[in-house]
Amino acid sequence: MERRKFVKDCCMLAVGLPVLGTMLGSCTTRYFAQANFSNDRLQVMKSEFQYLKKEKLVERDFVFVKLEGEFPICLYKEAEGNYSASLMQCTHQGCETHLEGKLFVCPCHGSEFAIDGKVLKGPADSNLKTYKTETDDENIYIYI
């Protein structure tokens, strides 16, 4: 292989891989659950955590709830039917966090938060805003 072609191919690869990674990462969509608001609480049906995949019922670990004009809330299904709800706004400078595995990560300055909203890594020095949740047989309630 010619040196010039080798250098050109390496440059194309160096530019192409990050672009491809971004494109593939954007193929995953966030699922926004339907929620009803009344009496200072959001009501989300537990069935929002279920979907069909190849004719098989699958459970989501989390869903997002969008409030008009505000950051989304991540409603996370914990063990034994408990749920946590955290506002996805970083407490450092107000950027929207992203869920990466079981961590909220701020893309602006790298703060990391546990799924319950507690700060794991700064520069943020306060926890994410979290909301009290309750459940019944069919619904999850998020108290705003």
Side-chain angles (χ1 to χ4, degrees):
M1 176 181 280
E2 290 181 21
R3 181 176 172 191
R4 181 174 293 208
K5 182 173 178 2
F6 176 76
V7 170
K8 181 180 175 185
D9 289 349
C10 287
C11 289
M12 293 297 285
L13 186 62
V15 170
L17 282 178
V19 171
L20 180 61
T22 301
M23 288 172 49
L24 290 175
S26 65
C27 290
T28 61
T29 58
R30 297 193 293 178
Y31 178 76
F32 285 90
Q34 296 293 317
N36 297 313
F37 183 76
S38 66
N39 300 327
D40 295 328
R41 68 182 187 181
L42 290 167
Q43 174 187 350
V44 178
M45 295 183 69
K46 288 182 178 178
S47 61
E48 291 283 356
F49 281 84
Q50 301 172 334
Y51 66 100
L52 285 175
K53 183 176 183 178
K54 296 182 182 179
E55 299 180 26
K56 189 175 185 181
L57 195 60
V58 179
E59 290 280 328
R60 292 181 174 92
D61 291 330
F62 55 87
V63 298
F64 299 96
V65 180
K66 182 71 175 154
L67 300 175
E68 191 170 321
E70 295 189 29
F71 289 87
I73 294 171
C74 179
L75 182 59
Y76 189 83
K77 185 177 184 180
E78 299 173 348
E80 302 170 17
N82 294 320
Y83 296 85
S84 64
S86 298
L87 185 66
M88 296 182 67
Q89 181 180 17
C90 182
T91 56
H92 175 237
Q93 289 189 348
C95 294
E96 184 174 329
T97 61
H98 300 280
L99 192 59
E100 295 182 13
K102 292 189 176 187
L103 291 176
F104 292 105
V105 178
C106 180
C108 297
H109 300 103
S111 294
E112 294 180 0
F113 304 86
I115 203 66
D116 63 0
K118 290 187 174 38
V119 175
L120 298 175
K121 177 184 157 201
D125 58 4
S126 58
N127 299 334
L128 294 178
K129 182 175 183 176
T130 58
Y131 302 95
K132 176 183 172 190
T133 61
E134 289 182 353
T135 63
D136 61 23
D137 290 339
E138 296 178 1
N139 300 297
I140 305 132
Y141 302 98
I142 305 169
Y143 289 86
I144 302 296

